[in-house]
Amino acid sequence: MAAGCTAALLIALGVLSVCAGSGSGPVAEGATGEEAEWAEPWDGAVFRPPSALGAVGVARSPRTQLPRKEEAVDLPVLLWWSPGLFPHFPGDSERIECARGACVASQDRRVLGDSRTRALLFYGTDFRASEAPLPRLAHQSWALLHEESPLNNFLLSHGPGIRLFNLTATFSRHSDYPLPLQWLPGTAYLRQSAPPLQERAEWRRRGYAPLLYLQSHCDVPSDRDRYVRELMRYIPVDSYGKCLQNRELPTLRLQDTATATTEDPELFTFLSRYKFHLALENAICNDYMTEKLWRPMHLGAVPVYRGSPSVRDWMPNNHSIILIDDFESPQKLAEFIDFLDKNDEEYMKYLAYKQPGGITNQFLLDSLKHREWGVNDPLLPNYLNGFECFVCDHELARLAAKKAHVASPGVIPVPEPHIAQPSHMDCPVPKPGLGSVEEIPENDSTYGDYILMKPTQGPKLKRMRGEARDLSHHKCVAKLKAVSQIWGYSQTLLLLWFEHKA
Ligand SMILES: *[C@@H]1O[C@H](CO)[C@@H](O)[C@H](O)[C@H]1NC(C)=O
Ligand SMILES: *[C@@H]1O[C@H](CO)[C@@H](O)[C@H](O)[C@H]1NC(C)=O
Ligand SMILES: *[C@@H]1O[C@H](CO)[C@@H](O)[C@H](O)[C@H]1NC(C)=O
């Protein structure tokens, strides 16, 4: 994309964020930076990953002194543009030591125009084009950290959105600094032993359903509740969250979101009474896996999963979860769960990975072994610091390549630009949770808003393309204001408009 076009996109997106900001629910939700359900104690994790917005763990080389001027004079500067992320304390800048050498990390926006400022770091959930620093400087890389749900900022699931960046750290294995296992502390977490089956049989006799559902974020792109509602017709499901609720948590303490925390042992004991947990991610993207998947495995329950289409690649063995999409209908899935519920031997095969040597997936073992960051591990850097060093190393390499080129221009070519790819946020077009697009009523807001988020397909695309073609810039902005209550629609229309102009 030409620089001018990028700038235009950003300016218009800036206008969009202004329109959208004054609008409605979905936008405000995206802006909070966390999936709403995380506010619910029963739907949180046993741990929080070292979220960019949460407490920051131990830095690779914690220092309390600011770099002295003469010491820092030639070092590349990495500027954290998104506020509140700077993983150092105290002060506004700090020298960091990385594999290839040193850089200065800073959150002082006054260094933006400095020739030493080589990279800007953005947080995906917070990325608002209206706040992006323009004009973009040719010598600076833009680095994106976006490990959270793609629904927080669906713009980044679009080609023109993700290609604004040069370096990425996302949940995708294809990103430059991949974080697919950000919710998995390690193999010991998976190996924790399961409660005896007799205990669970006793809970079943006391009226518990075989399946647990715990979801309080109901209106999401994966449209999960539509599927679960249908499944409930064929097999009992105990549902405790706000979505499809049919039971209350057993104690007032657990019900009170103010007292029970996400790591509450009482909650985990309670959840482990269930043999199967419905585990559906809020958005369907390759390698987007969260605590919804790993928590049941930790507790010795079998996840009934829909989420990352490539989830099999990461499983401890090839027989540890039930994939919803392997079944032709909710009824067939219910029959299978019922069969396992009644056959202990078959059920226990799903927990074989907890036995010594039971984790046979070498790809998983290698990925855990080779990642340099830890999950709630005070001895390892968190991925915020890790990504920062990755960017530092990249910039040092880029400077060296440039220098080599300048020294012998005939021999060594200009370094190639490095641009992020759609595979770094690999989210297929949202589909209804059950049935086909044609069967979804026009007025269905649960799903309808999200289908519009993907500009390359979708039932309304053709009409929108026509609409976009007819818009002048001025009209486009007015139109966006008019429809700003529908986040997906505005974004899509805008991107189509740029596609037309480009
Ligand atoms: C699963 O793993 C077992 C043992 O490693 C192997 O015998 C079996 O063929 C595998 N099944 C599939 C479907 O890959
Ligand atoms: C960064 O990405 C932009 C496209 O978004 C590209 O024009 C630019 O050349 C890239 N810069 C580097 C240093 O790779
Ligand atoms: C959608 O339209 C159908 C048919 O006109 C109607 O029965 C239904 O109540 C509407 N649903 C909503 C959420 O407005």
Side-chain angles (χ1 to χ4, degrees):
M1 188 188 285
C5 185
T6 306
L9 171 63
L10 286 166
I11 289 159
L13 285 172
V15 174
L16 171 63
S17 342
V18 172
C19 313
S22 60
S24 61
V27 177
E29 177 188 280
T32 61
E34 287 193 16
E35 197 181 349
E37 63 202 348
W38 288 353
E40 309 294 345
W42 53 81
D43 199 44
V46 66
F47 60 91
R48 279 285 277 133
S51 161
L53 296 178
V56 168
V58 177
R60 180 176 302 231
S61 55
R63 273 155 202 267
T64 47
Q65 279 194 332
L66 299 180
R68 291 198 313 276
K69 268 233 159 57
E70 58 276 24
E71 187 184 314
V73 76
D74 284 329
L75 300 181
V77 176
L78 317 177
L79 174 58
W80 286 87
W81 192 257
S82 302
L85 280 187
F86 187 61
H88 305 280
F89 180 83
D92 271 351
S93 65
E94 180 155 314
R95 183 189 161 111
I96 57 170
E97 303 289 343
C98 301
R100 286 189 76 106
C103 291
V104 172
S106 175
Q107 62 173 346
D108 183 347
R109 288 185 172 200
R110 286 173 303 181
V111 306
L112 173 65
D114 198 301
S115 62
R116 286 168 305 176
T117 301
R118 300 281 302 172
L120 306 187
L121 287 82
F122 298 89
Y123 191 55
T125 295
D126 295 344
F127 181 76
R128 295 292 172 271
S130 55
E131 293 152 21
L134 295 177
R136 193 170 171 169
L137 303 178
H139 73 282
Q140 289 174 350
S141 297
W142 280 19
L144 172 73
L145 175 69
H146 189 36
E147 87 294 7
E148 286 188 331
S149 171
L151 79 75
N152 289 1
N153 197 344
F154 238 98
L155 172 69
L156 302 171
S157 301
H158 297 278
I162 193 74
R163 280 193 285 263
L164 293 174
F165 299 90
N166 301 100
L167 299 171
T168 62
T170 73
F171 49 77
S172 167
R173 76 185 82 176
H174 302 296
S175 74
D176 297 297
Y177 191 80
L179 307 168
L181 298 176
Q182 59 181 301
W183 288 93
L184 180 60
T187 52
Y189 185 78
L190 290 175
R191 285 205 192 97
Q192 170 170 281
S193 56
L197 267 185
Q198 305 89 287
E199 266 179 35
R200 285 164 167 186
E202 179 54 27
W203 289 112
R204 294 280 286 112
R205 271 194 292 280
R206 291 197 208 172
Y208 277 51
L211 271 161
L212 168 91
Y213 190 49
L214 196 59
Q215 211 65 73
S216 291
H217 191 183
C218 311
D219 178 6
V220 295
S222 67
D223 194 26
R224 54 194 166 199
D225 289 353
R226 194 188 306 276
Y227 188 92
V228 176
R229 194 182 295 114
E230 182 69 9
L231 182 68
M232 285 169 142
R233 294 178 54 206
Y234 302 104
I235 192 163
V237 175
D238 287 348
S239 179
Y240 295 93
K242 290 192 194 107
C243 317
L244 309 174
Q245 180 170 17
N246 60 17
R247 287 188 77 138
E248 287 276 9
L249 284 159
T251 66
L252 284 174
R253 220 188 119 260
L254 289 182
Q255 286 164 27
D256 184 354
T257 57
T259 54
T261 73
T262 54
E263 295 166 36
D264 196 288
E266 185 189 341
L267 175 71
F268 276 76
T269 306
F270 170 71
L271 297 181
S272 67
R273 291 172 184 172
Y274 286 88
K275 286 164 89 170
F276 303 91
H277 292 195
L278 279 165
L280 290 82
E281 305 290 1
N282 60 26
I284 309 294
C285 307
N286 275 306
D287 296 344
Y288 179 60
M289 300 163 286
T290 70
E291 88 289 354
K292 286 178 194 66
L293 171 64
W294 305 114
R295 180 180 56 200
M297 301 180 85
H298 175 64
L299 299 175
V302 177
V304 178
Y305 185 74
R306 176 185 274 166
S308 165
S310 54
V311 67
R312 276 193 177 93
D313 294 354
W314 302 100
M315 289 299 96
N317 65 22
N318 64 13
H319 199 71
S320 43
I321 66 174
I322 297 172
L323 291 180
I324 288 176
D325 293 331
D326 284 349
F327 293 84
E328 71 186 49
S329 66
Q331 186 176 1
K332 287 275 190 288
L333 173 62
E335 284 166 12
F336 184 66
I337 294 171
D338 185 56
F339 163 76
L340 290 181
D341 187 36
K342 292 174 176 149
N343 288 273
D344 289 352
E345 200 179 317
E346 287 303 315
Y347 177 84
M348 287 309 290
K349 287 183 185 169
Y350 280 84
L351 302 181
Y353 64 87
K354 292 186 178 288
Q355 301 306 317
I359 303 182
T360 54
N361 180 350
Q362 202 55 43
F363 178 63
L364 174 69
L365 292 169
D366 289 347
S367 302
L368 285 170
K369 191 167 149 198
H370 294 136
R371 73 181 181 190
E372 56 170 21
W373 41 271
V375 176
N376 275 10
D377 186 339
L379 300 176
L380 291 174
N382 62 48
Y383 54 66
L384 215 59
N385 295 106
F387 184 49
E388 187 180 63
C389 258
F390 175 84
V391 175
C392 171
D393 287 336
H394 178 89
E395 291 311 315
L396 289 167
R398 194 159 72 87
L399 280 168
K402 179 103 184 287
K403 216 167 162 182
H405 165 71
V406 170
S408 24
V411 187
I412 297 172
V414 186
E416 291 281 321
H418 185 97
I419 301 171
Q421 296 302 312
S423 64
H424 299 194
M425 285 288 297
D426 192 4
C427 308
V429 183
K431 285 195 303 198
L434 183 74
S436 68
V437 174
E438 292 71 35
E439 296 163 50
I440 308 297
E442 274 279 326
N443 59 359
D444 186 310
S445 67
T446 317
Y447 168 71
D449 288 355
Y450 288 104
I451 191 71
L452 295 168
M453 289 180 165
K454 211 71 183 179
T456 50
Q457 285 175 49
K460 297 184 180 153
L461 182 74
K462 214 170 154 192
R463 178 168 63 77
M464 290 179 72
R465 215 179 273 281
E467 213 172 307
R469 211 171 22 242
D470 296 340
L471 292 169
S472 67
H473 185 193
H474 183 73
K475 272 199 211 142
C476 179
V477 171
K479 176 86 186 176
L480 289 172
K481 278 186 177 157
V483 298
S484 65
Q485 71 277 19
I486 307 173
W487 181 232
Y489 189 84
S490 328
Q491 295 246 14
T492 306
L493 190 60
L494 183 74
L495 289 168
L496 287 173
W497 183 70
F498 276 105
E499 186 185 276
H500 172 65
K501 296 282 155 196

